[in-house]
């Protein structure tokens, strides 16, 4: 019975696991001029749709050939920094980051009932977060 069950799940969408995800990142530090030692950067993160459930066949078994999918997700992170020497051998860097810069409130389905319309479990969308860090290097 276990072998048949494992074989039936072959190729099925796994809940909470996304097939594709991409991250693009960029960073630039000005080395001269009025903005010398100022850095700016950003990240774009994208995640593919995610399997959240299956309809049932007659007989009460899930139809693994027709998964229900939750939405794809994306997010933008931004930052700005400034660095300088505070002593001959000690460098200082201050950086302000905003994670999920354009986040909106809402819910994301995690699992769905076999009817394909009623959410069984949800999670909240990620919040916007701000971080201020100071780093000393020597």
């Amino acid at each position: 019975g276990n072998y048949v069950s494992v074989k039936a799940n072959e190729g099925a969408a796994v809940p909470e696991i996304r097939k594709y995800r991409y991250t693009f990142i960029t960073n630039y530090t000005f080395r001269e001029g009025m903005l010398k030692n100022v850095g700016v950067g950003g990240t774009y993160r994208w995640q593919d749709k995610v399997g959240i459930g299956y309809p049932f066949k007659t007989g009460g078994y899930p139809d693994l050939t027709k998964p229900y999918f939750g939405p794809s997700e994306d997010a933008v992170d931004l930052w700005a920094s400034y660095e300088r020497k505070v002593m001959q051998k000690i460098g200082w860097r201050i950086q302000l980051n905003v994670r999920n810069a354009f986040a909106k409130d809402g819910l994301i389905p995690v699992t769905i009932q076999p009817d394909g319309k009623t959410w069984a479990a949800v999670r909240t969308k990620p919040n916007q977060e701000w971080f201020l860090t100071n780093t000393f290097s020597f």
Side-chain angles (χ1 to χ4, degrees), residues 35-99:
L35 295 176
K36 183 176 181 181
N37 298 331
V38 171
V40 292
T43 301
Y44 175 74
R45 294 176 281 122
W46 177 84
Q47 300 180 88
D48 197 10
K49 63 187 177 186
V50 62
I52 59 173
Y54 297 94
F56 279 163
K57 297 180 189 179
T58 45
Y61 295 102
D63 185 355
L64 300 177
T65 63
K66 299 176 184 164
Y68 296 130
F69 288 100
S72 63
E73 295 179 52
D74 65 347
V76 174
D77 305 331
L78 302 169
W79 58 85
S81 66
Y82 176 73
E83 60 185 300
R84 64 174 287 188
K85 293 271 188 194
V86 290
M87 296 179 142
Q88 186 176 2
K89 294 184 179 182
I90 299 177
W92 169 65
R93 176 184 178 104
I94 186 168
Q95 183 166 317
L96 178 65
N97 293 56
V98 59
R99 183 171 171 85

